[in-house]
Amino acid sequence: MKNFKINHREVRSYDVLELSGELDAHTASQLENSLKKLIDNEKHHIIVNCEDLDYIASAGLGVFMAYIEDVRSLGGDIKLTNMNPKVYNVFDLLGFPTLYDILEEESDAVEKFDNNESK
Amino acid sequence: MSNSSSTYSISVQASTEHLSEVRDFVAKHASEFGFAPQDVDDIRLAVDEAYTNIIKHAYKNDRQKSVDIELGYNSQKFWISLLDTGDAFDPSNYSKPDVRQKIKEKKRGGVGVYLIRKLMDDVEYQTKGSVNEIRMTKKR
């Protein structure tokens, strides 16, 4: 089993989850736990940096589908950044780019949060 | 053009723990077949989705069950079959998922079948006796 890992750090008042490895039906619960924890702690400005994410299956997309409304209804967002083309392609097949804020760089997400911009 | 064909198979326990092993098995053979990296990625994801659906829906997470995975190819095409003995999937229930609506309802899932159809050239479901088969084909 290839490792899936999540590293959590803060950029000012925003929370960044750095994903690495393979996100599938086996590893999706780790992402779910991390997101839940942030939301439970009233952290609603979340950036998911996918730079080292090598693979995603629909179970991984499902986690984002389950929590985006909660976060947005509380005035926040989950912004996704730094995806490689392979991972972006899977999001694109399901039409995610019109529904989620998917950005080139983590700094773009910080800037949009600073300017209070949403999708 | 050669008529020769090759087939390979593995049997795995129905557990998400084995997902990466299953993906690696099909990706290795798809690469050897000569597919471009994007086609290999498509096949890897389609098989992941099919195997995950069997674990969750056909076997309802009973990890005592197993899934047989067979693949083969000839000069024109590459196919993969996943066989299970759980609840049969009815493809007539299939429709294109409305992700916007699912998000509103905080629903996840229900997109794997659609992905498989997008990623592969042909997808067939059949049940013979107690065995369900999903057979996915990609042309060269």
Side-chain angles (χ1 to χ4, degrees):
Chain A
M1 188 80 219
K2 277 175 200 138
N3 278 338
F4 172 72
K5 275 191 202 143
I6 303 174
N7 181 43
H8 174 220
R9 58 187 163 77
E10 288 171 12
V11 174
R12 299 208 295 280
S13 59
Y14 313 132
D15 289 83
V16 180
L17 297 178
E18 289 174 342
L19 311 187
S20 65
E22 300 187 333
L23 180 54
D24 61 16
H26 193 61
T27 56
S29 58
Q30 289 180 54
L31 175 61
E32 172 144 23
N33 292 340
S34 296
L35 279 177
K36 257 193 197 156
K37 208 168 139 189
L38 289 177
I39 295 165
D40 288 348
N41 288 313
E42 295 178 3
K43 305 277 204 171
H44 307 133
H45 293 78
I46 301 166
I47 299 167
V48 179
N49 186 323
C50 302
E51 183 159 22
D52 294 318
L53 186 65
D54 300 319
Y55 175 84
I56 189 163
S58 72
L61 303 182
V63 178
F64 297 116
M65 288 163 67
Y67 290 98
I68 191 81
E69 273 293 298
D70 286 344
V71 168
R72 284 182 178 164
S73 68
L74 294 161
D77 198 10
I78 300 171
K79 297 187 190 294
L80 303 157
T81 74
N82 301 74
M83 273 181 207
N84 74 37
K86 221 170 98 172
V87 168
Y88 180 82
N89 183 48
V90 183
F91 281 89
D92 195 33
L93 281 171
L94 288 165
F96 272 58
T98 58
L99 304 170
Y100 286 77
D101 212 358
I102 301 176
L103 302 158
E104 288 282 326
E105 299 290 335
E106 188 183 309
S107 56
D108 301 335
V110 171
E111 199 176 316
K112 286 187 94 169
F113 273 139
D114 280 346
N115 297 328
N116 216 3
E117 287 175 45
S118 57
K119 182 80 189 172
Chain B
M1 209 177 269
S2 153
N3 283 322
S4 70
S5 63
S6 307
T7 57
Y8 301 88
S9 65
I10 54 169
S11 185
V12 282
Q13 248 189 322
S15 163
T16 55
E17 264 169 60
H18 298 291
L19 269 168
S20 65
E21 175 191 337
V22 168
R23 288 196 297 265
D24 290 349
F25 169 71
V26 293
K28 176 177 163 273
H29 287 289
S31 295
E32 283 171 7
F33 179 73
F35 276 129
Q38 179 62 59
D39 290 328
V40 176
D41 289 345
D42 289 354
I43 292 168
R44 191 197 321 252
L45 180 57
V47 170
D48 178 318
E49 299 292 342
Y51 178 61
T52 299
N53 278 345
I54 291 171
I55 293 169
K56 289 190 177 166
H57 303 299
Y59 287 145
K60 311 224 163 20
N61 297 305
D62 178 356
R63 37 188 308 158
Q64 302 304 316
K65 307 285 187 183
S66 66
V67 182
D68 291 332
I69 299 165
E70 300 173 358
L71 64 82
Y73 43 89
N74 59 26
S75 52
Q76 288 100 35
K77 63 187 185 187
F78 183 97
W79 57 266
I80 311 112
S81 280
L82 283 79
L83 300 109
D84 69 77
T85 55
D87 296 341
F89 173 71
D90 179 359
S92 64
N93 287 338
Y94 153 85
S95 61
K96 190 187 168 181
D98 182 343
V99 175
R100 190 182 295 273
Q101 189 59 32
K102 282 177 184 286
I103 285 171
K104 264 193 205 148
E105 294 167 7
K106 298 178 193 174
K107 276 191 187 155
R108 69 183 83 190
V111 301
V113 173
Y114 173 73
L115 275 180
I116 293 168
R117 286 185 192 265
K118 287 273 266 195
L119 297 164
M120 302 299 284
D121 290 320
D122 188 51
V123 184
E124 287 172 46
Y125 295 87
Q126 65 172 322
T127 299
K128 276 187 197 157
S130 60
V131 180
N132 310 307
E133 176 179 7
I134 173 173
R135 188 182 175 98
M136 302 171 277
T137 305
K138 203 169 187 74
K139 291 172 196 138
R140 192 185 283 282

